[in-house]
Structure formats: structure tokens, C-alpha cells
Amino acid sequence: MRIFYRALRKMASALTEVSSNKVFGGLQKVFSHESKELGCKMRFAIFLPAQSEEKKLPIIYWLSGLECTELNCVQKSGIQRYAAEHDVIIVCPDTSPRGLNLPGEKDSWDFGEGAGFYVNATEKPWSDNYRMYSYVTSELINVINSNFPVIEGKQSIMGHSMGGHGALICALKNPGLYKSVSAFAPICNPSKAPWGIKALTGYLGPHETGSWAQWDATELAKSYNGAPIELFIDQGSDDKFLDQLLPNNLVAACKEAHVPAILKMREGYDHSYFYIATFIGEHVSYHAKHLNE
């Protein structure tokens, strides 16, 4: 066991350990690294169950929402308990590049820093750094696979709100990359919602450019023809942001395109981590089933 972790530390020389805490028999760690894709230092949280000391494990990526960092999920959801039960690794990246000092990056809470929207920006000044889609689907996966005891190819993705949007588009744009996908209160049709319109305009330019559909889960579902994958959408009925999230639009698009989709409406629940913590165990179990098939 000690030999294994000495080797792991040597492999991880490009990573800087920020913190480490024991929880549910495993280790909740945070690392930083220099991201080539984003041109800045990035952080991610990773939960390593006790079994990761003995063998390689499958992995679930969690994408967080607006204003969040790599810490929100691991500090508020209780996800480690269920990850330890199912022997899966959890990775939570930050939600945008940080510290770039770009004009306007801190002017509002729903655009810029903390609000990368998991797209590859094409508009200046964002296009050089705001490439969260490529970071999540390529660079981060390579970093994790190279430095931690994961079973390559055994990965799933999930997220919340803006991160739910991110999880859905990452899965729909990359058939076969993820074994399963789920989302809590995702922004399902950003082309039709104020948050999404603001972000897509700022990062990609006007709607007339025709690029928005490539970053909208509802539009992607309409034309999806890749490896079969089920979309698991979880939504609280008392979510004050329902007019921004539009889950019924995505479900209708999936039905028309014959893409399997589950929409679970949770009576009386809102948009918060109290809601997420209530049902996170069900989601981890769902992904573990697909990862172990």
C-alpha cells in the first residue's frame, strides 16, 4: 500500500496538494495544477475511497453551478458516503478559469469568473482561456488518468444547474465517453433562458452565428445519433429558477428523437444543496450500476 502511494506521489509531480482530509474511510483531497487549456492554475477536488489504495476504481465527474468552486459539492452534498459504499472516485473541478484579470470577468455573478458554462468561448476576450468544455472532456480526464488509480474509460458525469447543463452537453457531444449522465436542476435549454442567453451571447456571439445549438442540451438531443445513453434529469418542484431551467423542453426533444430520458420531479424541493444532499445517494447508485456493467 505504501509503495503504491509513493509511486502515485512521483507520478503526480505536476500536481500540488492543497488539502487532505479523511472522510468515510477514504481521503478527500484538493489539488492544483497549471492548465494548458485554460492558461491558468486550476483546482479540483478528488475523493479517493479506501479501496483505491488497493486497486483501480471507476470515476464520476461532478460539475458545479454558478458561483461555485471545486468545494461546494464535497463540502455540502455528503457524496463521499455513497462513493465509499460503491467504491467510486469523485472528481469536482472548479467552474471557470481564475485570476486572469480579464475586463468584465467579475462584473456579474452569472457570467465570467465562476460562470464558465462549460463551453469553448469564441468571442474575445474569453476565447483564449474560457475553454471549460475542452478542459473537462479532455485535459482534466488526462490529468486524472495519469495521476490516480482509475479504470480508464469507466467514467460517468453529473452536475447541478449550470453544471447540469455542462454534464448533459459533455455526454451528448461525446457519445461513448461517459457510461452514464445525470443532472440536478440543469439548465436544459439555455438558448431560451436568460442565464443561457447572457452566457452564450458573451462567450459565442449573437444567436445569428448559428453556434448556440452546439452548446444546448435540448438542441443536441434533437439531432443525437450516437451510442445509446439515458439522460437522468432530477428537478425540485419548488425551484424558483424553473423558468430558467426548462426541463420539459429537453424531455420533449428526447421523446421526439427517441433518446431515453428520465425526469424525476421532487415535490417541495428547491434549487439548493439541501435538495442535492437528499438525492445524491440515488445518483451515485445509478452511476455505479452503469459503471459496473
Side-chain angles (χ1 to χ4, degrees), residues 103-156:
E105 72 177 359
K106 296 183 180 180
D107 287 356
S108 59
W109 66 276
D110 57 355
F111 183 80
E113 198 168 271
F117 260 81
Y118 305 101
V119 303
N120 283 349
T122 56
E123 294 292 297
K124 295 292 186 181
W126 316 102
S127 55
D128 289 341
N129 306 96
Y130 275 65
R131 299 178 52 80
M132 286 298 294
Y133 168 76
S134 288
Y135 176 72
V136 167
T137 60
S138 181
E139 183 178 16
L140 181 62
I141 290 174
N142 290 334
V143 168
I144 299 301
N145 288 351
S146 298
N147 290 281
F148 298 98
V150 301
I151 303 172
E152 293 190 26
K154 287 274 189 176
Q155 59 208 16
S156 292

Side-chain angles (χ1 to χ4, degrees), residues 43-114:
R43 289 189 179 195
F44 63 86
I46 182 168
F47 173 67
L48 298 163
Q51 282 296 311
S52 68
E53 297 181 351
E54 307 293 342
K55 63 180 182 180
K56 293 182 177 182
L57 299 178
I59 185 167
I60 303 172
Y61 288 89
W62 169 275
L63 306 184
S64 285
L66 289 166
E67 296 191 286
C68 291
T69 70
E70 73 283 353
L71 296 176
N72 291 71
C73 178
V74 299
Q75 290 181 340
K76 296 180 179 181
S77 72
I79 195 170
Q80 298 93 338
R81 174 180 179 175
Y82 306 103
E85 288 176 3
H86 291 284
D87 288 334
V88 293
I89 291 169
I90 305 293
V91 171
C92 308
D94 201 352
T95 53
S96 79
R98 302 272 176 180
L100 297 171
N101 297 315
L102 297 178
E105 72 177 359
K106 296 183 180 180
D107 287 356
S108 59
W109 66 276
D110 57 355
F111 183 80
E113 198 168 271

Side-chain angles (χ1 to χ4, degrees), residues 251-265:
V251 172
C254 287
K255 184 176 181 180
E256 185 175 342
H258 304 290
V259 174
I262 300 169
L263 173 59
K264 290 201 173 184
M265 293 296 296

